[in-house]
Amino acid sequence: MGQVQVSRTGSTTTTTLVGEHADSLATVLGLVRSGTARTRPEIGRHSGLGRTVVTQRVNQLTACGLLEEGALGPSSGGRAPRELRFRARAGVILAAELGATSIGVGVTDLAGSVLAEHTEPADIAKGPESVLSRVEELFDELLDRVRAGTADENLAVWGVGIGLPGPVEFATGRPSAPPIMPGWDGYPVRDRLARRYDTPVWVDNEVNTMALGELRAGTARGHGDILYVKIGTGIGAGLVSGGTLHRGSQGCAGDIGHAAVSDEDEVVCRCGNTGCLEAHAGGAALARDGLAAAEEGRSPFLADVLAATGTVTAADVSRAAQSGDRASVELLTRAGRLIGNLLATLVSFYNPALVIIGGGVSGAGDLLLAAVRETVYRRSLPLATRELRITRSELSDRAGLVGAAFMALDELFAAERLARWVGNGSPAGDPALVEVPLRSPVF
């Protein structure tokens, strides 16, 4: 069986359960959290653990406030067992998705349900001090609102999850040379928020959090192998294999926006290279090409928009295409085909069951999605597309926010981390946990 380790950090003594003890603890909690098992006998049947071990683990999880007993469950002969419930309101998670042009923040319970949220325009290029200060202000406002609504002024923050619109070294929680985030390279996002809220913090690329959001609470529920593609100002992908988010060795897996799709060198991408998918098919590219169509007289619709507003956006191109504007239809179709060509390679290589298209540009009617589908089905191997489904995101703008919360929850309740604080009450304020020795999540 497992062992117990005792360590000290300053004046704090930490008890850690290790080995089989930690694994069985996480297994029992996972079964109740997911709703797979609701009674002790059901836990035993699903886990293979003995009655005594199940009872011990349930008692430990109840003592630290994660489980509670409810009504009597169904009887299979003899005394009916008590049902067990996961105490989702024992604490809260702070979650944020930072996009190129917006901030979305929220407070969720320990089951990932959003209790309060707020979204507003923002410019990520203003730098980490300005943007994160605003994120902290919004976190505090929403947390006060949730505490007031629950009449619990001491409701603890158990973790923080953040998605950023650029490459992130997951092990350190620091952005790594993000093309659209001047001043963010190497910035200690995790360390700053961990000090501010005295709780563990996890930081990842926003596309990964979007993929995780869809996997946990959206279109991809029940699927093990998916490809999430965000088409917004930039383009990126989140890969899930066997139910596990694949980040790669440095955390930059899925950065398809900077894959070469053209030999043209007239357009320089934000990363400094030419021929990148993002530079030809992303939201900024659609806006650039739409502006050119308006100025050159190829699009009366966009020319009117330019005269009225002084600019052309990707959303304007979408509206023009939906109204039948020929130049805009061509722009969206071309973008869909370029994206589809690259995805066809990934589909043949990776063989996902589901491709989810999200991001702001994905809402451009059916035209872009149709072009992506047609190209993928035509260019991929028949076996790879035989049961493949390509669909829009179910969570839409909330995918990244929800996924950021689940990122923190999955890490928080992973076996070795759960075992480090289950005997100490909660993760909040535990210096060993606030430091967060990170790794790839185990789902």
Side-chain angles (χ1 to χ4, degrees):
M1 292 299 291
Q3 300 175 340
V4 176
Q5 293 179 347
V6 179
S7 60
R8 286 186 177 273
T9 303
S11 60
T12 302
T13 300
T14 302
T15 301
T16 305
L17 308 174
V18 296
E20 295 176 15
H21 198 148
D23 292 338
S24 60
L25 195 71
T27 297
V28 171
L29 179 62
L31 288 171
V32 180
R33 278 182 68 208
S34 64
T36 303
R38 299 185 184 278
T39 65
R40 290 171 177 81
E42 287 180 352
I43 292 172
R45 286 195 296 272
H46 284 283
S47 67
L49 298 171
R51 182 188 303 176
T52 301
V53 173
V54 170
T55 298
Q56 290 174 346
R57 303 302 174 264
V58 168
N59 289 344
Q60 287 174 313
L61 292 167
T62 302
C64 74
L66 283 173
L67 298 183
E68 64 182 358
E69 291 193 346
L72 291 174
S75 173
S76 57
R79 189 173 65 179
R82 286 280 181 185
E83 289 193 341
L84 298 166
R85 291 194 297 253
F86 175 60
R87 293 188 65 238
R89 298 297 179 92
V92 293
I93 299 295
L94 303 181
E97 178 194 4
L98 279 57
T101 58
S102 66
I103 290 174
V105 300
V107 178
T108 79
D109 63 18
L110 300 182
S113 298
V114 179
L115 305 177
E117 62 183 311
H118 173 81
T119 302
E120 66 182 36
D123 183 1
I124 198 71
K126 287 185 176 180
E129 293 295 336
S130 172
V131 174
L132 291 178
S133 292
R134 181 56 180 158
V135 169
E136 290 167 350
E137 290 175 1
L138 294 172
F139 274 158
D140 293 343
E141 291 173 10
L142 293 181
L143 190 56
D144 287 343
R145 187 192 309 172
V146 170
R147 284 171 171 164
T150 58
D152 184 357
E153 295 182 357
N154 298 314
L155 187 63
V157 177
W158 282 27
V160 179
I162 305 288
L164 298 179
V168 174
E169 186 178 42
F170 189 71
T172 63
R174 295 173 182 245
S176 178
I180 64 170
M181 301 169 65
W184 287 81
D185 185 28
Y187 188 86
V189 178
R190 188 193 78 195
D191 299 341
R192 170 179 174 148
L193 293 172
R195 287 193 301 270
R196 176 69 172 75
Y197 293 100
D198 197 22
T199 198
V201 177
W202 291 272
V203 186
D204 203 354
N205 185 294
E206 64 166 344
V207 183
N208 284 339
T209 65
M210 290 175 176
L212 191 55
E214 292 290 345
L215 181 68
R216 289 284 177 267
T219 311
R221 281 172 296 185
H223 292 277
D225 300 294
I226 70 166
L227 181 61
Y228 179 93
V229 182
K230 179 206 172 189
I231 310 172
T233 303
I235 299 175
L239 287 73
V240 175
S241 178
T244 300
L245 188 64
H246 176 73
R247 292 186 172 93
S249 60
Q250 267 70 50
C252 64
D255 194 3
I256 64 173
H258 301 290
V261 296
S262 172
D263 292 330
E264 298 176 13
D265 58 7
E266 292 87 359
V267 179
V268 179
C269 182
R270 292 177 298 181
C271 71
N273 292 321
T274 60
C276 295
L277 176 64
E278 180 179 304
H280 290 275
L286 288 173
R288 178 198 66 222
D289 294 342
L291 176 62
E295 292 174 337
E296 294 166 7
R298 293 183 283 112
S299 170
F301 186 105
L302 295 179
D304 291 342
V305 170
L306 179 60
T309 66
T311 188
V312 172
T313 67
D316 294 328
V317 174
S318 173
R319 288 191 298 109
Q322 292 174 29
S323 71
D325 181 73
R326 181 175 177 179
S328 297
V329 168
E330 291 175 351
L331 289 177
L332 283 177
T333 301
R334 178 175 180 271
R337 287 174 178 165
L338 286 170
I339 295 168
N341 275 328
L342 183 56
L343 291 185
T345 300
L346 296 179
V347 165
S348 294
F349 175 78
Y350 174 52
N351 189 205
L354 181 66
V355 174
I356 302 172
I357 307 295
V361 178
S362 70
D366 294 328
L367 193 61
L368 183 135
L369 183 60
V372 170
R373 282 175 171 155
E374 186 276 330
T375 306
V376 170
Y377 288 127
R378 176 171 50 84
R379 295 292 302 271
S380 301
L381 294 171
L383 182 59
T385 57
R386 187 167 64 189
E387 298 182 3
L388 175 68
R389 188 159 62 97
I390 303 174
T391 186
R392 280 196 187 90
S393 166
E394 183 178 298
L395 295 176
S396 189
D397 294 341
R398 300 182 81 204
L401 180 65
V402 171
F406 276 104
M407 171 178 63
L409 289 168
D410 287 338
E411 288 283 349
L412 201 58
F413 295 134
E416 68 270 26
R417 190 165 290 111
L418 173 66
R420 289 182 63 174
W421 59 262
V422 72
N424 303 294
S426 86
D430 183 337
L433 283 168
V434 171
E435 290 299 323
V436 193
L438 292 169
R439 49 152 187 80
S440 296
V442 175
F443 299 132

Short mmCIF file of all heavy atoms in Angstrom, two decimals, residues 256-281:
data_model
loop_
_atom_site.label_atom_id
_atom_site.label_comp_id
_atom_site.label_asym_id
_atom_site.label_seq_id
_atom_site.Cartn_x
_atom_site.Cartn_y
_atom_site.Cartn_z
N ILE A 256 -0.32 25.74 -35.80
CA ILE A 256 -0.45 25.57 -37.25
C ILE A 256 -0.52 26.90 -37.99
O ILE A 256 -0.34 26.94 -39.21
CB ILE A 256 -1.69 24.72 -37.62
CG1 ILE A 256 -2.97 25.43 -37.18
CG2 ILE A 256 -1.59 23.34 -36.99
CD1 ILE A 256 -4.24 24.74 -37.66
N GLY A 257 -0.77 27.98 -37.28
CA GLY A 257 -0.88 29.27 -37.95
C GLY A 257 0.39 29.70 -38.63
O GLY A 257 0.36 30.51 -39.57
N HIS A 258 1.52 29.15 -38.21
CA HIS A 258 2.79 29.54 -38.80
C HIS A 258 3.41 28.41 -39.63
O HIS A 258 4.61 28.42 -39.91
CB HIS A 258 3.74 30.03 -37.70
CG HIS A 258 3.16 31.20 -36.95
ND1 HIS A 258 3.03 32.44 -37.52
CD2 HIS A 258 2.61 31.28 -35.71
CE1 HIS A 258 2.45 33.26 -36.65
NE2 HIS A 258 2.18 32.57 -35.55
N ALA A 259 2.55 27.47 -40.03
CA ALA A 259 2.96 26.47 -41.02
C ALA A 259 2.91 27.12 -42.39
O ALA A 259 2.01 27.92 -42.69
CB ALA A 259 2.04 25.26 -40.96
N ALA A 260 3.87 26.80 -43.26
CA ALA A 260 3.94 27.42 -44.58
C ALA A 260 2.89 26.82 -45.52
O ALA A 260 2.77 25.60 -45.63
CB ALA A 260 5.33 27.22 -45.18
N VAL A 261 2.10 27.68 -46.13
CA VAL A 261 1.08 27.23 -47.09
C VAL A 261 1.24 27.89 -48.44
O VAL A 261 0.49 27.63 -49.37
CB VAL A 261 -0.34 27.50 -46.56
CG1 VAL A 261 -0.61 26.70 -45.29
CG2 VAL A 261 -0.56 29.00 -46.32
N SER A 262 2.24 28.76 -48.59
CA SER A 262 2.43 29.50 -49.83
C SER A 262 3.89 29.86 -50.00
O SER A 262 4.61 30.06 -49.02
CB SER A 262 1.57 30.77 -49.83
OG SER A 262 1.87 31.59 -50.94
N ASP A 263 4.32 29.95 -51.27
CA ASP A 263 5.68 30.38 -51.56
C ASP A 263 5.75 31.89 -51.79
O ASP A 263 6.84 32.44 -52.02
CB ASP A 263 6.20 29.67 -52.82
CG ASP A 263 6.40 28.18 -52.58
OD1 ASP A 263 6.71 27.81 -51.43
OD2 ASP A 263 6.24 27.40 -53.54
N GLU A 264 4.61 32.55 -51.72
CA GLU A 264 4.60 34.00 -51.94
C GLU A 264 5.37 34.68 -50.81
O GLU A 264 5.26 34.29 -49.64
CB GLU A 264 3.16 34.51 -51.96
CG GLU A 264 2.31 33.93 -53.10
CD GLU A 264 0.87 34.40 -53.00
OE1 GLU A 264 0.61 35.35 -52.23
OE2 GLU A 264 0.01 33.83 -53.70
N ASP A 265 6.13 35.70 -51.15
CA ASP A 265 6.90 36.40 -50.13
C ASP A 265 6.50 37.86 -49.99
O ASP A 265 7.17 38.64 -49.31
CB ASP A 265 8.39 36.29 -50.41
CG ASP A 265 8.77 36.85 -51.78
OD1 ASP A 265 7.90 37.44 -52.45
OD2 ASP A 265 9.94 36.70 -52.17
N GLU A 266 5.36 38.23 -50.60
CA GLU A 266 4.92 39.62 -50.50
C GLU A 266 4.37 39.95 -49.12
O GLU A 266 4.49 41.08 -48.64
CB GLU A 266 3.83 39.92 -51.55
CG GLU A 266 4.32 39.89 -52.99
CD GLU A 266 4.26 38.47 -53.56
OE1 GLU A 266 3.86 37.56 -52.79
OE2 GLU A 266 4.60 38.28 -54.74
N VAL A 267 3.73 38.96 -48.51
CA VAL A 267 3.09 39.18 -47.21
C VAL A 267 3.96 38.61 -46.10
O VAL A 267 4.24 37.41 -46.08
CB VAL A 267 1.69 38.54 -47.16
CG1 VAL A 267 1.06 38.77 -45.80
CG2 VAL A 267 0.81 39.10 -48.27
N VAL A 268 4.38 39.47 -45.19
CA VAL A 268 5.20 39.04 -44.05
C VAL A 268 4.28 38.80 -42.86
O VAL A 268 3.49 39.67 -42.48
CB VAL A 268 6.26 40.10 -43.69
CG1 VAL A 268 7.08 39.64 -42.49
CG2 VAL A 268 7.16 40.36 -44.88
N CYS A 269 4.40 37.62 -42.27
CA CYS A 269 3.58 37.26 -41.10
C CYS A 269 4.09 37.99 -39.87
O CYS A 269 5.23 38.47 -39.83
CB CYS A 269 3.64 35.75 -40.90
SG CYS A 269 2.63 35.14 -39.52
N ARG A 270 3.27 38.03 -38.83
CA ARG A 270 3.68 38.66 -37.59
C ARG A 270 4.86 37.96 -36.94
O ARG A 270 5.56 38.54 -36.12
CB ARG A 270 2.49 38.68 -36.61
CG ARG A 270 1.38 39.61 -37.04
CD ARG A 270 0.22 39.55 -36.09
NE ARG A 270 -0.39 38.22 -36.03
CZ ARG A 270 -1.44 37.91 -35.27
NH1 ARG A 270 -1.96 38.83 -34.50
NH2 ARG A 270 -1.95 36.70 -35.28
N CYS A 271 5.08 36.69 -37.31
CA CYS A 271 6.21 35.96 -36.74
C CYS A 271 7.52 36.31 -37.44
O CYS A 271 8.59 35.89 -37.01
CB CYS A 271 5.96 34.46 -36.82
SG CYS A 271 6.04 33.77 -38.50
N GLY A 272 7.43 37.06 -38.56
CA GLY A 272 8.62 37.46 -39.30
C GLY A 272 8.88 36.63 -40.54
O GLY A 272 9.71 37.01 -41.38
N ASN A 273 8.18 35.50 -40.69
CA ASN A 273 8.33 34.66 -41.88
C ASN A 273 7.30 35.03 -42.94
O ASN A 273 6.39 35.83 -42.70
CB ASN A 273 8.19 33.18 -41.51
CG ASN A 273 9.35 32.69 -40.65
OD1 ASN A 273 10.49 33.08 -40.88
ND2 ASN A 273 9.05 31.86 -39.68
N THR A 274 7.42 34.42 -44.09
CA THR A 274 6.43 34.61 -45.15
C THR A 274 5.78 33.28 -45.48
O THR A 274 6.33 32.21 -45.21
CB THR A 274 7.09 35.18 -46.42
OG1 THR A 274 8.11 34.26 -46.87
CG2 THR A 274 7.72 36.53 -46.16
N GLY A 275 4.59 33.35 -46.07
CA GLY A 275 3.89 32.14 -46.49
C GLY A 275 3.11 31.43 -45.40
O GLY A 275 2.58 30.34 -45.63
N CYS A 276 3.02 32.02 -44.20
CA CYS A 276 2.31 31.37 -43.09
C CYS A 276 0.81 31.32 -43.34
O CYS A 276 0.22 32.25 -43.92
CB CYS A 276 2.57 32.11 -41.78
SG CYS A 276 4.29 32.07 -41.23
N LEU A 277 0.17 30.27 -42.84
CA LEU A 277 -1.28 30.13 -42.97
C LEU A 277 -2.00 31.33 -42.37
O LEU A 277 -2.93 31.87 -42.98
CB LEU A 277 -1.74 28.84 -42.26
CG LEU A 277 -3.25 28.58 -42.23
CD1 LEU A 277 -3.80 28.38 -43.64
CD2 LEU A 277 -3.57 27.37 -41.34
N GLU A 278 -1.59 31.76 -41.21
CA GLU A 278 -2.23 32.89 -40.54
C GLU A 278 -2.17 34.16 -41.38
O GLU A 278 -3.12 34.94 -41.42
CB GLU A 278 -1.55 33.12 -39.20
CG GLU A 278 -2.10 34.27 -38.39
CD GLU A 278 -1.39 34.42 -37.06
OE1 GLU A 278 -1.36 33.43 -36.30
OE2 GLU A 278 -0.85 35.51 -36.79
N ALA A 279 -1.04 34.37 -42.08
CA ALA A 279 -0.86 35.58 -42.87
C ALA A 279 -1.74 35.60 -44.11
O ALA A 279 -1.94 36.65 -44.73
CB ALA A 279 0.61 35.72 -43.28
N HIS A 280 -2.29 34.43 -44.48
CA HIS A 280 -3.12 34.34 -45.68
C HIS A 280 -4.58 34.03 -45.39
O HIS A 280 -5.44 34.28 -46.24
CB HIS A 280 -2.57 33.28 -46.64
CG HIS A 280 -1.27 33.67 -47.28
ND1 HIS A 280 -1.21 34.44 -48.43
CD2 HIS A 280 0.00 33.41 -46.93
CE1 HIS A 280 0.05 34.63 -48.77
NE2 HIS A 280 0.82 34.01 -47.87
N ALA A 281 -4.89 33.48 -44.20
CA ALA A 281 -6.26 33.04 -43.95
C ALA A 281 -6.81 33.45 -42.59
O ALA A 281 -7.97 33.17 -42.30
CB ALA A 281 -6.33 31.52 -44.09
#
